Amino acid sequence: KNQVEQSPQSLIILEGKNCTLQCNYTVSPFSNLRWYKQDTGRGPVSLTIMTFSENTKSNGRYTATLDADTKQSSLHITASQLSDSASYICVVKRNTGFQKLVFGTGTRLLVSP
Amino acid sequence: SQTIHQWPATLVQPVGSPLSLECTVEGTSNPNLYWYRQAAGRGLQLLFYSVGIGQISSEVPQNLSASRPQDRQFILSSKKLLLSDSGFYLCAWAPVGGTEAFFGQGTRLTVV
């Protein structure tokens, strides 16, 4: 079954600290993996995209990793800011004839002052 | 540039009343269109997707239906709302063969 699991479900960290969010997937055939940031009451916005051959990709203070062999990805946030408080959703795209996205349940991050 | 519009932003409806949520995309042609629902504390669940006018596929059986009367218009409907239909509904579009889905701002539906 095509699934995306994220951990932890929620996380509270102090401003300025680092954190790492995890994503494990069983989606097949794999096309790519995206991390989205979703502010409360808003639509998700893409942070990074990882293809099969990519191991690490950075976008400012966000660094995503992908291990296609173990089907795991992580999103590392460095020097967290209050504005990082949001849900982070891991989304895997299947490499089928029709574009099909499989969403994780997300990790709710709260950055506390 | 492409934009996606979704309305209304919030909606409170009584049980048994009908529903119509509308989503339109500008600046692109023949997009793939999606309706997702996000229940409280849950992830995004794909409800419907469409690859063209009049072509609708459903992921899960439910009380809702979708229609695509025009290339860039996607409508989510219900004849009679249930309490369990409450949630945050998101419309999204993606270019054919593209790698990213672009989301609307969402509709917060509360069925009372």
Side-chain angles (χ1 to χ4, degrees):
Chain A
K1 186 175 181 180
N2 295 295
Q3 288 185 318
V4 176
E5 296 182 350
Q6 292 186 242
S7 62
Q9 186 175 26
S10 60
L11 183 63
I12 302 175
I13 61 174
L14 292 175
E15 185 179 10
K17 297 296 185 181
N18 305 334
C19 67
T20 300
L21 314 180
Q22 298 291 339
C23 173
N24 297 336
Y25 62 93
T26 58
V27 177
S28 180
F30 175 85
S31 177
N32 61 59
L33 182 149
R34 277 187 186 270
W35 283 93
Y36 283 81
K37 178 185 179 185
Q38 184 181 20
D39 293 315
T40 301
R42 307 293 295 274
V45 176
S46 178
L47 291 174
T48 66
I49 179 173
M50 307 287 289
T51 58
F52 187 86
S53 59
E54 296 176 306
N55 299 119
T56 303
K57 183 171 286 187
S58 293
N59 177 6
R61 294 180 295 102
Y62 300 102
T63 299
T65 66
L66 174 66
D67 186 334
D69 292 329
T70 60
K71 296 186 176 181
Q72 296 179 327
S73 176
S74 67
L75 180 69
H76 185 76
I77 304 175
T78 304
S80 61
Q81 301 176 358
L82 297 179
S83 60
D84 293 330
S85 296
S87 289
Y88 292 84
I89 303 172
C90 176
V91 182
V92 180
K93 179 185 173 186
R94 296 180 65 200
N95 190 19
T96 62
F98 175 75
Q99 183 174 307
K100 191 76 69 73
L101 304 177
V102 184
F103 285 78
T105 54
T107 293
R108 295 192 172 191
L109 173 65
L110 175 63
V111 180
S112 176
Chain B
S1 64
Q2 302 89 359
T3 56
I4 179 168
H5 302 281
Q6 184 182 342
W7 67 92
T10 59
L11 190 60
V12 180
Q13 291 283 94
V15 170
S17 63
L19 173 73
S20 180
L21 302 181
E22 189 162 346
C23 172
T24 61
V25 181
E26 297 177 356
T28 187
S29 297
N30 195 32
N32 293 329
L33 296 172
Y34 306 78
W35 276 111
Y36 291 90
R37 176 170 58 201
Q38 187 175 38
R42 305 288 297 277
L44 284 163
Q45 179 187 38
L46 179 62
L47 300 176
F48 300 96
Y49 62 90
S50 171
V51 299
I53 297 174
Q55 301 179 62
I56 309 295
S57 296
S58 175
E59 284 290 294
V60 294
Q62 57 206 302
N63 183 43
L64 303 169
S65 62
S67 62
R68 185 171 178 174
Q70 300 180 43
D71 181 46
R72 289 169 288 179
Q73 183 184 29
F74 206 23
I75 298 172
L76 183 68
S77 304
S78 174
K79 293 182 179 179
K80 290 184 178 181
L81 284 169
L82 306 172
L83 288 174
S84 57
D85 291 325
S86 295
F88 190 58
Y89 289 83
L90 283 162
C91 178
W93 78 272
V96 175
T99 60
E100 181 177 358
F102 300 90
F103 290 84
Q105 292 302 297
T107 296
R108 173 72 60 190
L109 172 65
T110 303
V111 182
V112 296

